[in-house]
């Protein structure tokens, strides 16, 4: 099953996208903290993902600012694909 997101006013698009990115950043921050506290593994992956997500957030902000300057709405077209797989 595929789902699509569509057109939003700029401020609403900003809120939707930032909430998504911020929740992913928070997840990796908590994962990194948990691994470090338990000495349970390498935190490099979470650190890299946080860096990538912060960069994405900056790019999103630049695009939102451009849309505001041009008095445009924003179309968010992302596909989420859910696939059932056998359990191990």
């Amino acid at each position: 099953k595929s789902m699509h997101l569509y057109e939003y006013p700029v401020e609403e698009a900003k809120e939707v996208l930032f909430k998504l990115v911020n929740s992913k950043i928070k997840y990796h921050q908590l994962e990194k903290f948990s691994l470090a506290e338990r000495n349970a593994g390498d935190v490099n992956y979470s650190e890299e993902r946080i860096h990538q997500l912060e960069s994405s957030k900056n790019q999103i902000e630049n695009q939102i600012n451009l849309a505001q300057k041009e008095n445009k709405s924003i179309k968010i077209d992302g596909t989420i694909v859910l696939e059932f797989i056998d359990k191990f």
Side-chain angles (χ1 to χ4, degrees), residues 1-5 20 77-83:
K1 177 92 179 151
S2 294
M3 295 159 261
H4 299 278
L5 303 175
L20 174 65
D77 188 8
T79 303
I80 298 171
V81 178
L82 302 177
E83 179 181 342

Side-chain angles (χ1 to χ4, degrees), residues 27-44:
Y27 168 82
H28 286 287
Q29 288 171 334
L30 290 172
E31 183 72 11
K32 178 182 160 187
F33 176 77
S34 177
L35 288 170
E37 281 294 306
R38 295 180 287 130
N39 285 329
D42 189 5
V43 297
N44 289 335

Side-chain angles (χ1 to χ4, degrees), residues 40-81:
D42 189 5
V43 297
N44 289 335
Y45 176 75
S46 287
E47 288 176 342
E48 179 60 27
R49 284 299 293 143
I50 292 167
H51 176 73
Q52 291 169 351
L53 291 162
E54 290 288 354
S55 177
S56 293
K57 189 174 172 181
N58 289 334
Q59 291 172 9
I60 290 167
E61 186 168 29
N62 290 338
Q63 291 298 302
I64 286 171
N65 290 339
L66 182 59
Q68 285 176 319
K69 286 179 187 175
E70 295 183 5
N71 198 30
K72 301 285 185 178
S73 291
I74 294 177
K75 178 181 175 185
I76 300 172
D77 188 8
T79 303
I80 298 171
V81 178

